[in-house]
Amino acid sequence: MNKSIKVFILYSEIADYLLSCLGELQNFVDEIHLIHWPVNKEAPFKFISHKKVRLYDKSKLNFDEIINLLKSNNPSIILCSGWMDNDYLKIVKLYYGSIPTILLLDNPWKSSIKQKIACLISPFFLKKIFSHIWVPGEIQVHYAKKLGYQQEKIRRGLYSANTYKFNKFREDYFEAKTSNFPKVFLYVGRYVRQKGIYPMWKAFIDLQDEHPNDWELWCMGTGEEFENRIIHPKIKHIGFVQPNQMLSYLSNSGVYILPSLFEPWGVSVHEMAAAGFPLLLSDKVGSSEKFLIDGKNGYNFNSSDINSIKKVMIKIINLKDSELVSMGNESFKLSLSETPKKWSNTLLSFLYD
């Protein structure tokens, strides 16, 4: 292994939580090079920069330029998000067998035809490109094993929220919430049907008619369905918010809800758990395996089932403030299982495998 540790990451769409992990990782390596797809227009984040992290927009580089970038910097390890980018696959294959080449996989096993085909060709395809697989949790481990990777070649903990920031949010508003818990459900995510926003809105509106209450629903984000959003006096559509502007909304909202119809993981769940929020999660949210204990720090419900969503909302509405605060504390405790430092240690472990 080279004395100088240089990490290359071939990524799809970068997010704030990834950069927080890289900010921690830079304490242990010499260079970090992150090649990424263009920033998603539905989530136009302004990203913070780190001293040892160099960002490259893939759309501004041709294939030869990327190859030359790697050759001139002599990488110690390469991480690649999925296998959907053919350029990335060609690049990783050049280094297979000489350095650790890591497949980042967040898809759970669904037993689909596409996945079964992937398992059949994996010995002749993926296993000749990637030495290891890194996944978020147990639901992805099953898929990794189906692809032919042994337990010792699989790592968990692919994603971590910026726990330092969200724990600080919790500290800043904990006392205020203890004395007067905000009667606000909060959704943070894209405005797309996959996120289950329409069943959530319908359930909330029905609940106001059937059981009048003081609670509101705040929705933060944007996307292709934003213009078709349901308007209601007690639903607040905030729009897109930069990470550093979230504090005021988090301090004035109480319970996080993620009603996704499909959510392989969902880092926002970890973020809100770290911020001390009780959680309402659909049964399609992958990260619930790690950050939700039903009845302890929130509730699980059936995705797209309006009655199921209403039932968990009613449960929350009927709780005392002290009970909601206690749920938030349990979320916070669960959030500590993953941190940017643990993420960095896992990445470095590939170098010594």
Side-chain angles (χ1 to χ4, degrees):
M1 185 178 66
N2 296 330
K3 291 182 180 180
S4 177
I5 300 178
K6 299 181 180 181
V7 178
F8 268 80
I9 305 175
L10 310 178
Y11 215 72
S12 51
E13 298 168 4
I14 57 175
D16 178 64
Y17 59 81
L18 172 64
L19 292 182
S20 72
C21 290
L22 298 184
E24 180 70 30
L25 179 65
Q26 70 177 355
N27 296 319
F28 309 102
V29 302
D30 298 282
E31 295 177 16
I32 303 170
H33 299 265
L34 175 60
I35 301 169
H36 62 89
W37 291 357
V39 175
N40 191 333
K41 293 181 180 179
E42 293 181 356
F45 292 110
K46 295 178 181 177
F47 297 112
I48 58 174
S49 59
H50 297 290
K51 184 178 180 181
K52 294 183 182 179
V53 181
R54 302 177 189 178
L55 302 180
Y56 309 86
D57 185 333
K58 183 175 183 284
S59 66
K60 297 178 181 178
L61 299 172
N62 61 41
F63 181 77
D64 289 337
E65 288 173 327
I66 299 176
I67 289 293
N68 289 334
L69 178 64
L70 271 81
K71 287 182 176 179
S72 62
N73 284 282
N74 195 19
S76 308
I77 182 173
I78 299 177
L79 295 84
C80 179
S81 57
W83 60 79
M84 61 285 202
D85 190 309
N86 288 327
D87 287 342
Y88 285 170
L89 295 180
K90 292 175 185 176
I91 293 166
V92 178
K93 192 170 185 178
L94 293 174
Y95 288 88
Y96 175 76
S98 59
I99 61 173
T101 51
I102 318 303
L103 171 63
L104 310 181
L105 176 71
D106 66 5
N107 288 330
W109 175 251
K110 294 292 185 181
S111 195
S112 67
I113 293 175
K114 185 177 180 180
Q115 288 184 331
K116 290 178 180 178
I117 292 173
C119 293
L120 287 173
I121 65 174
S122 180
F124 318 101
F125 172 43
L126 295 177
K127 296 203 71 179
K128 293 186 180 297
I129 301 175
F130 299 104
S131 59
H132 300 74
I133 294 186
W134 196 0
V135 300
E138 295 305 319
I139 58 175
Q140 289 83 13
V141 167
H142 186 53
Y143 191 11
K145 289 181 177 178
K146 288 277 189 180
L147 291 169
Y149 286 82
Q150 299 300 312
Q151 184 70 43
E152 63 270 16
K153 298 297 183 181
I154 303 169
R155 301 286 195 281
R156 296 157 178 80
L158 171 58
Y159 296 132
S160 173
N162 185 344
T163 51
Y164 312 122
K165 179 175 72 175
F166 285 93
N167 289 167
K168 182 63 165 59
F169 284 174
R170 175 181 175 272
E171 291 173 7
D172 289 344
Y173 59 62
F174 180 76
E175 187 175 339
K177 284 194 175 183
T178 301
S179 59
N180 184 22
F181 196 88
K183 303 301 189 291
V184 175
F185 295 107
L186 176 67
Y187 165 79
V188 181
R190 292 177 296 140
Y191 276 52
V192 293
R193 290 186 178 274
Q194 174 185 312
K195 292 290 187 179
I197 49 179
Y198 288 104
M200 174 183 66
W201 291 332
K202 182 67 164 59
F204 179 79
I205 292 171
D206 285 355
L207 187 60
Q208 305 313 304
D209 296 333
E210 299 166 9
H211 303 277
N213 58 81
D214 297 332
W215 283 70
E216 297 180 7
L217 171 60
W218 293 4
C219 302
M220 189 184 302
T222 188
E224 61 189 40
E225 294 294 328
F226 190 81
E227 296 304 317
N228 300 319
R229 64 194 183 278
I230 293 178
I231 304 299
H232 185 274
K234 298 185 74 175
I235 298 179
K236 183 176 182 179
H237 296 283
I238 298 166
F240 179 78
V241 175
Q242 292 292 346
N244 61 0
Q245 299 172 329
M246 290 183 67
L247 177 57
S248 62
Y249 296 104
L250 296 185
S251 62
N252 291 295
S253 52
V255 175
Y256 184 60
I257 179 169
L258 187 58
S260 302
L261 308 182
F262 176 71
E263 192 78 50
W265 194 245
V267 178
S268 66
V269 173
H270 189 196
E271 292 173 341
M272 295 305 151
F277 276 63
L279 307 173
L280 295 181
L281 307 178
S282 85
D283 56 357
K284 302 300 182 184
V285 177
S287 55
S288 62
E289 74 168 44
K290 184 171 280 288
F291 303 116
L292 177 65
I293 300 176
D294 193 66
K296 185 99 171 169
N297 69 312
Y299 300 105
N300 195 246
F301 59 87
N302 298 327
S303 66
S304 76
D305 186 332
I306 293 171
N307 286 327
S308 183
I309 300 172
K310 282 195 292 184
K311 284 180 182 178
V312 296
M313 285 183 168
I314 290 172
K315 285 182 178 181
I316 289 293
I317 289 170
N318 289 334
L319 290 175
K320 299 175 183 177
D321 283 9
S322 59
E323 292 173 313
L324 291 168
V325 170
S326 178
M327 276 191 164
N329 287 337
E330 293 300 325
S331 287
F332 166 70
K333 292 174 185 177
L334 290 171
S335 77
L336 300 177
S337 63
E338 298 293 344
T339 64
K341 184 172 184 179
K342 184 177 179 181
W343 184 93
S344 299
N345 289 336
T346 300
L347 188 151
L348 293 171
S349 74
F350 290 115
L351 294 168
Y352 302 96
D353 201 4

